[in-house]
Amino acid sequence: GESVGLHLPTLSVQEGDNSIINCAYSNSASDYFIWYKQESGKGPQFIIDIRSNMDKRQGQRVTVLLNKTVKHLSLQIAATQPGDSAVYFCAVLVTGNQFYFGTGTSLTVIP
Amino acid sequence: NAGVTQTPKFQVLKTGQSMTLQCAQDMNHEYMSWYRQDPGMGLRLIHYSVGAGITDQGEVPNGYNVSRSTTEDFPLRLLSAAPSQTSVYFCASSYGPGNEQFFGPGTRLTVL
């Protein structure tokens, strides 16, 4: 199986600051990782993904870092905006067909 | 494209009742899955399908049945609802398990 956990259940940042959300996983065979954003009352929305043959991937204002040695994944959001307020969670693909999800970090952006 | 659609949006059942949660996608995705989301827990996989006619169990399959007769539809059946099945249910689809998953808006189910 797999155990996926996020380090902080809540995070508050000032608008314009950078946010870092962390995720730890347990299975070294994990080979695909996704970060999702979920707003209240909505389904999860894909933000960015990374495969195990990479250690960094950048999108628009977001960067995912993967450290396979310590089985750690992080999501960095640059210049955080009020619209970034949501719950963020990571998903880890282990067996090839099944994703395991972290419990989520609730990000609040203070204007 | 409508993406992934789920019906109903809300449902209240009594213990022992049965019902079907509907999920459909119009993106020609082979891989579809059902998750439940409970407070303080991550999304947990109930069942998934890698193509029409093929289904398999996820992490928490007990009390649920699925079938996949077409590429587009992947209904989830609760055979005899129990209060422990009170949750928010999400359906997702993707080209394959190792690809970005698109989620539906969810069904909020309460079992009394």
Side-chain angles (χ1 to χ4, degrees), chain B residues 27-103:
Chain B
M27 297 174 281
N28 204 31
H29 286 166
E30 291 294 327
Y31 183 82
M32 296 185 74
S33 52
W34 276 103
Y35 294 89
R36 59 178 290 173
Q37 186 174 40
D38 300 297
M41 304 185 76
L43 287 160
R44 291 183 293 167
L45 182 65
I46 304 171
H47 285 284
Y48 64 96
S49 169
V50 297
I54 306 168
T55 64
D56 207 345
Q57 296 181 351
E59 190 183 352
V60 289
N62 292 342
Y64 307 95
N65 272 2
V66 292
S67 59
R68 185 95 180 269
S69 56
T70 66
T71 300
E72 294 78 21
D73 300 296
F74 191 43
L76 178 72
R77 296 183 189 83
L78 280 71
L79 306 173
S80 178
S84 61
Q85 293 178 304
T86 293
S87 188
V88 181
Y89 292 85
F90 289 101
C91 178
S93 75
S94 64
Y95 286 110
N99 298 101
E100 173 189 350
Q101 289 195 84
F102 294 84
F103 282 82

Side-chain angles (χ1 to χ4, degrees), chain A residues 29 94 110:
Chain A
V94 177
I110 304 165

Side-chain angles (χ1 to χ4, degrees), chain A residues 39-98:
Chain A
E39 296 173 311
S40 182
K42 295 185 178 179
Q45 179 184 5
F46 173 93
I47 302 173
I48 192 167
D49 61 358
I50 189 167
R51 298 194 185 273
S52 59
N53 60 352
M54 303 173 70
D55 52 22
K56 180 179 179 179
R57 191 152 189 243
Q58 288 184 288
Q60 190 174 13
R61 284 201 306 118
V62 294
T63 300
V64 55
L65 299 177
L66 175 63
N67 186 328
K68 294 181 287 294
T69 303
V70 295
K71 299 198 233 358
H72 182 269
L73 187 69
S74 69
L75 175 70
Q76 300 178 0
I77 305 173
T80 314
Q81 303 168 0
D84 295 327
S85 292
V87 176
Y88 292 81
F89 48 87
C90 63
V92 179
L93 183 66
V94 177
T95 64
N97 282 335
Q98 297 194 33

Side-chain angles (χ1 to χ4, degrees), chain A residues 10-32:
Chain A
T10 61
L11 177 66
S12 294
V13 299
Q14 289 290 141
E15 181 178 358
D17 286 352
N18 296 336
S19 303
I20 299 176
I21 300 171
N22 297 301
C23 181
Y25 61 97
S26 63
N27 194 322
S28 57
S30 305
D31 57 8
Y32 181 53

